[in-house]
Amino acid sequence: MAAKTYNLNFDGYKWQDDLPEKAGIYLTFTVKYNAETKKYHIDELKYIGETKNVKDCQDQHFRDGYYPKNAKLAFAYALMTETEESRKRCEAAMIYYVQPDWNTADKGSFKHDKTTVKSSGHHQGVPVELTVNRTE
């Protein structure tokens, strides 16, 4: 594998029902309600994932109890038409660099060649640009 750069444009912040049935990288955020303004605001990035169907994946996470019960969550996603291998590499780089609380895999090492991820759009908690080098 050679060095690779990914450019991701995150659309968000969305509720679960508003997610696309397409492949991509997604970010999961906790949200808090402000009683004064009567609005929700993004609190913290908790999980980074990749999937061939963003909406189905989130529906499955809720069904399987992966997310805490009664958690109010919002999402951002970047559609990614590249291969599953490319999505996994991009996801692994982001997890290794950001270290989200709910991710467990890919936090301790990075098994791919140098990978750069450039993010635009709604990506709170993820730097505009990050680069990760192989650790194993």
Side-chain angles (χ1 to χ4, degrees):
M1 256 189 263
K4 179 78 175 158
T5 298
Y6 297 94
N7 294 295
L8 302 178
N9 182 25
F10 286 95
D11 190 8
Y13 299 101
K14 308 286 186 180
W15 300 119
Q16 178 186 358
D17 292 339
D18 300 322
L19 297 172
E21 295 182 357
K22 295 184 178 181
I25 303 290
Y26 62 89
L27 309 175
T28 303
F29 301 90
T30 52
V31 295
K32 290 192 176 174
Y33 183 72
N34 183 322
E36 230 176 77
T37 63
K38 297 181 181 177
K39 293 183 178 181
Y40 286 99
H41 68 274
I42 300 301
D43 180 39
E44 187 176 356
L45 173 62
K46 292 293 195 176
Y47 189 81
I48 297 170
E50 73 76 26
T51 183
K52 64 182 177 183
N53 185 317
V54 175
K55 179 156 181 36
D56 283 352
C57 182
Q58 293 315 308
D59 291 347
Q60 189 68 44
H61 282 340
F62 278 100
R63 275 193 304 275
D64 291 348
Y66 185 78
Y67 294 139
K69 192 172 183 167
N70 300 321
K72 186 69 173 170
L73 304 176
F75 306 91
Y77 60 86
L79 298 181
M80 195 170 177
T81 58
E82 296 186 46
T83 65
E84 179 180 11
E85 182 180 324
S86 290
R87 288 194 316 268
K88 287 186 180 297
R89 179 176 176 174
C90 186
E91 171 199 36
M94 294 174 71
I95 291 169
Y96 182 78
Y97 191 92
V98 176
Q99 300 283 308
D101 290 347
W102 296 347
N103 286 96
T104 53
D106 299 316
K107 287 174 94 169
S109 64
F110 186 67
K111 64 182 180 180
H112 306 278
D113 288 341
K114 181 178 178 179
T115 302
T116 299
V117 179
K118 296 180 180 181
S119 299
S120 60
H122 297 89
H123 58 92
Q124 180 176 311
V126 175
V128 171
E129 184 172 326
L130 63 89
T131 298
V132 179
N133 292 299
R134 179 184 297 273
T135 62
E136 51 179 58

